[in-house]
Amino acid sequence: MHLLEWFLTRPFDTASLPTRVSGKVMLQDLRLVPQFAKAHGVVMSIAFVIIFPLGALFVRTQKIKGGVWIHAACQLIGWILTIAGLATGIRVGKILDRLHNNAHTILGTAIIALLLLQPLIGFVHHRKFMMTQRPGPWTRFHVWYGRVLILLGMTNGGLGLQLADNTRAGTVAYGVVAGLVGVAYCTVVAFFEVRKWSHRDDVASDVGLEERSKSPTP
């Protein structure tokens, strides 16, 4: 039986227990773990499996006026959710002494730390784009930086379920949903990347034909 299950079935008063036993596990706060862990999993899943992918794809697929601001709003909501998820995750990690001593918490903290830079990178990209009206290095960096973080976040969700010793059904359900979303996301990204490069080749070919047509015939 896990320590948490054992503790929750005990009839005695938690106030009489020592604050920390068995390493750094905080027994007095163990009752908070289920609600904090559930909140952590829910908000992180919503952010990385739903909001971030949709916000990223929206700006690529929906060329409408103000689309960039809809994209920014979606990503900001996801960004706020990840901060809330980080806070609840840190709380659970401290209670169970699982903070930064396993792959999930280390990778998760790194992802959120890198994610904190994305709004700034996006702002710089937007300013540069407005000045030149064409994509540049900051655009490519902003786009691919976000794509990598989204996929890492999805993957880390699976590591979190393993760490929490979640039910097999719950782990499989997350794996299926996150996997389908991840595959769909990568497919759409690949489609637009191929189309973009194909368009560039067509433009280059048209320019070449135009230049040759202007050349004097020998």
Side-chain angles (χ1 to χ4, degrees):
M1 181 179 293
H2 295 295
L3 175 62
L4 177 58
E5 295 174 339
W6 174 85
F7 178 79
L8 293 178
T9 58
R10 299 295 293 174
F12 46 77
D13 183 10
T14 60
S16 63
L17 291 173
T19 304
R20 297 174 183 270
V21 297
S22 183
K24 295 183 179 179
V25 176
M26 303 171 66
L27 285 180
Q28 286 184 325
D29 291 335
L30 274 177
R31 293 189 186 276
L32 301 176
V33 169
Q35 63 191 62
F36 276 112
K38 184 176 182 179
H40 172 75
V42 169
V43 297
M44 286 301 199
S45 297
I46 292 174
F48 282 103
V49 180
I50 300 176
I51 294 180
F52 282 146
L54 287 180
L57 293 178
F58 180 87
V59 75
R60 300 296 165 196
T61 60
Q62 304 297 318
K63 302 299 183 181
I64 62 175
K65 185 177 181 180
V68 66
W69 298 113
I70 297 176
H71 160 76
C74 286
Q75 305 311 71
L76 180 60
I77 292 172
W79 190 76
I80 292 172
L81 286 176
T82 60
I83 300 301
L86 176 65
T88 54
I90 289 176
R91 182 64 171 148
V92 172
K94 286 185 175 180
I95 293 173
L96 298 178
D97 190 27
R98 289 183 175 180
L99 189 61
H100 301 151
N101 56 10
N102 56 83
H104 173 69
T105 57
I106 293 173
L107 179 59
T109 302
I111 291 171
I112 302 305
L114 293 172
L115 195 62
L116 293 175
L117 300 175
Q118 184 68 327
L120 176 61
I121 298 171
F123 175 76
V124 174
H125 140 68
H126 182 67
R127 290 292 300 272
K128 296 288 186 181
F129 182 84
M130 294 302 294
M131 292 171 60
T132 62
Q133 291 299 306
R134 60 188 304 174
W138 280 99
T139 302
R140 289 185 287 274
F141 181 62
H142 174 64
V143 169
W144 283 102
Y145 187 84
R147 289 170 178 171
V148 170
L149 290 181
I150 288 173
L151 295 176
L152 284 176
M154 290 182 185
T155 303
N156 200 43
L159 295 178
L161 291 176
Q162 292 180 2
L163 180 64
D165 196 21
N166 196 43
T167 63
R168 179 175 177 80
T171 302
V172 170
Y174 176 84
V176 170
V177 174
L180 289 175
V181 172
V183 169
Y185 178 71
C186 291
T187 301
V188 175
V189 167
F191 171 78
F192 278 94
E193 286 296 319
V194 170
R195 192 176 74 168
K196 179 177 66 176
W197 285 104
S198 176
H199 176 69
R200 287 182 179 179
D201 291 341
D202 291 341
V203 171
S205 177
D206 292 342
V207 171
L209 289 173
E210 183 178 351
E211 290 299 322
R212 285 194 293 272
S213 67
K214 293 179 181 179
S215 301
T217 304

